[in-house]
Amino acid sequence: MNPSFSSHLVNDVFGDPGLFVEVRWSKRALLFDLGHNDALGPTRLLRAGDIFISHTHMDHFIGFDALLRVALRRGKTLRLYGPPGLIANVQGKLHGYTWNLVDGYPLAIAVQEFHAHTIHSATFHATDGFLRRDAPEIPVIGHASHGSFCILEDPMFTVQAVALNHRISSFGYALQEPFHVNINKERLHEAGLPVGYWLKEVKQYLWQGKPDDFRFRATLYHEHHREEREFVLGDVRERFVTISRGQKIAYVVDARYDEENEAKIIELARSADIFYCEAPFLDQDAEKAWERYHLTARQAGLMARKAGVRELVVFHFSPRYTGLGHQIVAEAQGAFREG
Ligand SMILES: [Zn+2]
Ligand SMILES: [Zn+2]
């Protein structure tokens, strides 16, 4: 199976937290948190149109400036999602600079902050020096069990969040593909059909839930010629497509190990293919972790185990353990594999 999401941490395990996720079959990428992100480089930063912020402590938000700088001259909209206070934080960042020469720039920034029952939205446009424009509040959709709610719904994926206790609200996120579409290239080949862009369109139609009798025209690029052809979706699906379970990635940072957080995190990460979880402390320093509203490596491992995830990746290590990163990893993986 060719996974639809390919994900990697923005920095090494002692660096600022952040997760970059490429969405295959599209030129899109998602970014979780905006700590230092120089390692991504401008190309990847620019691809990230949807950005999910856990909370705005400095190590999770200082990279906003770098993103703003590379996006400024581009005709794009940056979409930021996060907890209450995010709009004011973005506004504060934008107020930190002078904008008298940007009126020709097409950048827009759209921010949504998720409160318990309502979503507050505001946009900022370079053309008017990033004046804040608030939109009417709308209700949050679908408070599922354990307080998770929908942040973004796209035909190809959904992003869910939970508000975790970090003395402020820190959002954990789960990215989920509704189902995975596998194309059987051998059978395509046997039928004399080429691979190419038209298969991306097939996937889009399936994700959009188009019916079996849906007809579409596609352009096929054979080795020496181009062909326009009409297909029936159900026929293509039956002959060349296998549907399997969708991919899931969970991202949790900056949360205390209390009963409520634990229940929310386990539910959020349930059966994830990859669970990215913070592990700033070793369990011998569990008291310190508790005081600072953070997890230990063992706690991360135990929750990953209870959630039945396939793979656990720990990060956001405290600098106090510099040189001892392998111990944090060993403790987390030990608890994950053996309990
Ligand atoms: Zn924090
Ligand atoms: Zn942090």
Side-chain angles (χ1 to χ4, degrees), residues 84 113-120 137-143 149:
E113 53 178 56
F114 290 73
H115 295 244
H117 303 290
T118 52
I119 305 169
H120 300 197
E137 291 171 21
I138 50 172
V140 170
I141 11 171
H143 263 266
F149 45 89

Side-chain angles (χ1 to χ4, degrees), residues 55 57 59-60 166 168 170 254 294 316:
H55 62 303
H57 280 159
D59 52 331
H60 299 255
H166 177 48
I168 51 164
S170 168
D254 296 40
H294 277 292
H316 203 2

Side-chain angles (χ1 to χ4, degrees), residues 265-285:
I265 293 169
I266 290 170
E267 207 44 48
L268 181 80
R270 170 96 50 217
S271 306
D273 295 279
I274 312 181
F275 176 32
Y276 290 92
C277 188
E278 75 149 0
F281 291 90
L282 282 171
D283 212 54
Q284 67 195 32
D285 298 317

Side-chain angles (χ1 to χ4, degrees), residues 236-278:
V236 173
R237 187 177 53 72
E238 220 160 90
R239 292 171 65 193
F240 309 116
V241 172
T242 321
I243 302 283
S244 58
R245 173 184 167 274
Q247 211 184 334
K248 180 173 177 180
I249 295 174
Y251 175 85
V252 168
V253 287
D254 296 40
R256 180 148 91 171
Y257 191 60
D258 60 32
E259 229 170 87
E260 198 184 328
N261 274 351
E262 188 191 27
K264 285 176 174 175
I265 293 169
I266 290 170
E267 207 44 48
L268 181 80
R270 170 96 50 217
S271 306
D273 295 279
I274 312 181
F275 176 32
Y276 290 92
C277 188
E278 75 149 0

Side-chain angles (χ1 to χ4, degrees), residues 100-324:
N100 62 316
L101 293 174
V102 298
D103 44 344
Y105 291 2
L107 176 69
I109 303 170
V111 190
Q112 288 197 316
E113 53 178 56
F114 290 73
H115 295 244
H117 303 290
T118 52
I119 305 169
H120 300 197
S121 312
T123 46
F124 303 86
H125 292 268
T127 44
D128 57 12
F130 292 114
L131 275 180
R132 172 175 170 166
R133 289 168 202 277
D134 286 276
E137 291 171 21
I138 50 172
V140 170
I141 11 171
H143 263 266
S145 59
H146 299 288
S148 86
F149 45 89
C150 184
I151 294 273
L152 180 61
E153 205 157 19
D154 184 276
M156 288 177 73
F157 58 82
T158 57
V159 177
Q160 296 275 126
V162 286
L164 302 169
N165 178 9
H166 177 48
R167 212 159 113 189
I168 51 164
S169 218
S170 168
F171 280 11
Y173 291 101
L175 166 66
Q176 167 101 57
E177 182 187 27
F179 52 83
H180 190 76
V181 180
N182 308 276
I183 306 276
N184 189 321
K185 300 219 171 87
E186 229 162 82
R187 273 195 246 155
L188 274 183
H189 187 71
E190 283 162 17
L193 293 170
V195 293
Y197 185 80
W198 77 283
L199 294 172
K200 182 187 165 182
E201 294 173 320
V202 168
K203 291 189 174 201
Q204 297 285 1
Y205 297 141
L206 291 168
W207 275 311
Q208 286 160 12
K210 294 263 194 278
D212 274 358
D213 61 359
F214 175 73
R215 286 170 180 277
F216 62 97
R217 289 193 73 77
T219 311
L220 310 182
Y221 291 91
H222 297 275
E223 210 170 325
H224 297 295
H225 68 286
R226 211 179 90 152
E227 181 195 359
E228 291 281 331
R229 191 147 151 184
E230 193 179 83
F231 291 98
V232 180
L233 186 62
D235 178 48
V236 173
R237 187 177 53 72
E238 220 160 90
R239 292 171 65 193
F240 309 116
V241 172
T242 321
I243 302 283
S244 58
R245 173 184 167 274
Q247 211 184 334
K248 180 173 177 180
I249 295 174
Y251 175 85
V252 168
V253 287
D254 296 40
R256 180 148 91 171
Y257 191 60
D258 60 32
E259 229 170 87
E260 198 184 328
N261 274 351
E262 188 191 27
K264 285 176 174 175
I265 293 169
I266 290 170
E267 207 44 48
L268 181 80
R270 170 96 50 217
S271 306
D273 295 279
I274 312 181
F275 176 32
Y276 290 92
C277 188
E278 75 149 0
F281 291 90
L282 282 171
D283 212 54
Q284 67 195 32
D285 298 317
E287 211 170 299
K288 195 135 271 157
W290 172 266
E291 280 165 17
R292 307 253 169 105
Y293 286 78
H294 277 292
L295 300 172
T296 70
R298 182 163 179 276
Q299 292 160 354
L302 289 176
M303 288 191 289
R305 183 180 180 79
K306 288 184 190 165
V309 307
R310 288 197 183 162
E311 186 189 343
L312 167 68
V313 177
V314 285
F315 65 109
H316 203 2
F317 299 174
S318 161
R320 63 167 50 216
Y321 303 107
T322 302
L324 301 174

